Amino acid sequence: TINLAPSTTIVPQERRHSLFGLVNQEIMADLELDVAGSFAHRDTRRTYFLSGIPLPASAVAEAETASLTGTLSHSTGSGWLVQASAGWSLSETEQMQSQPGGEELINRFDSRGELFDYGVQADGSLMSLPGGDVKLALGASGRHETHFDFFETGTVAGREKRAKRKVRSLFGELHLPFFSSANRLPGLERLSLTAALRYQHYDDFGGSWDPKVGLLWSPLA
């Protein structure tokens, strides 16, 4: 740091603040509500040298994130669990690079991303096999994404970009336990089959089908 300004730093100066909260409330028998929220703020300041420039550059950045989610859960008498959920999250950043004194802008970059999602799902047992319960899960979900960024330099005029899209999906999964500790045989300590199918539709380019099949076999305990 010889011959550098007193404000010049080798290690970035950073300050962080964050909050988190979680609330669980039993509304009535077999009906619960969970709400969680978080917030974080970060300030960063540092100086460094750009290639070919003898003077140090100053960089200042601020970032914030926030989220809020809620889940309503209902347990039926037949062993099924039904859940409805919704969530929101936000991420913002502001970054600026300049010469000492905060003048002569070098680069500026700001961004903002926001997400809102929601869904409902149910899972439980359909019937019993010698190896265990046949389980089924069904659900539907959706999310809305938005993004914005702004970029500017000392020689390039500011330009901004915006984008958004919606995604909706349906899914189902079936689990079949053929053998388990309840009915194991030599070489068949555990044998189960899992089949799942998910469909997602994006409003900017269309939909996709995503199947999955899994077989689990354990010959020994």
Side-chain angles (χ1 to χ4, degrees):
T1 58
I2 297 175
N3 297 327
L4 295 183
S7 61
T8 301
T9 60
I10 297 177
V11 179
Q13 300 174 348
E14 186 172 86
R15 177 174 293 180
R16 300 184 182 189
H17 297 90
S18 60
L19 295 171
F20 176 78
L22 176 65
V23 177
N24 173 266
Q25 175 65 45
E26 183 178 2
I27 300 175
M28 60 180 63
D30 301 325
L31 185 63
E32 290 188 0
L33 176 64
D34 292 283
V35 178
S38 66
F39 173 81
H41 179 88
R42 183 178 74 247
D43 290 314
T44 306
R45 297 176 183 271
R46 66 189 178 98
T47 57
Y48 57 94
F49 286 89
L50 297 173
S51 177
I53 300 179
L55 294 177
S58 300
V60 178
E62 291 188 7
E64 285 187 352
T65 60
S67 67
L68 182 64
T69 60
T71 303
L72 189 64
S73 304
H74 172 59
S75 299
T76 67
S78 58
W80 278 71
L81 177 64
V82 181
Q83 293 182 313
S85 61
W88 167 84
S89 62
L90 174 68
S91 176
E92 290 183 315
T93 60
E94 295 181 358
Q95 303 178 51
M96 181 176 293
Q97 299 170 328
S98 61
Q99 293 292 342
E103 301 176 355
E104 298 185 13
L105 174 70
I106 299 175
N107 287 318
R108 176 187 172 188
F109 181 74
D110 301 337
S111 67
R112 174 188 172 96
E114 191 171 12
L115 172 67
F116 175 71
D117 62 271
Y118 54 91
V120 60
Q121 70 176 46
D123 61 86
S125 299
L126 291 178
M127 56 182 293
S128 294
L129 294 178
D133 292 338
V134 176
K135 295 184 178 181
L136 176 68
L138 298 171
S141 63
R143 69 179 187 266
H144 184 203
E145 307 168 358
T146 59
H147 177 79
F148 164 82
D149 64 59
F150 177 85
F151 180 72
E152 181 184 13
T153 72
T155 57
V156 178
R159 61 171 183 254
E160 63 179 46
K161 296 180 181 179
R162 297 180 183 270
K164 64 179 181 179
R165 72 174 180 180
K166 294 180 180 179
V167 184
R168 295 179 176 87
S169 62
L170 298 171
F171 61 89
E173 183 172 350
L174 182 66
H175 177 71
L176 299 168
F178 298 115
F179 289 94
S180 67
S181 58
N183 65 334
R184 59 176 176 258
L185 295 174
L188 288 173
E189 182 68 26
R190 184 180 180 186
L191 181 65
S192 62
L193 176 68
T194 300
L197 181 63
R198 185 181 188 91
Y199 174 74
Q200 294 196 132
H201 183 268
Y202 301 83
D203 64 353
D204 50 356
F205 70 85
S208 67
W209 291 92
D210 304 302
K212 182 183 73 172
V213 177
L215 183 66
L216 178 61
W217 170 48
S218 298
L220 301 175

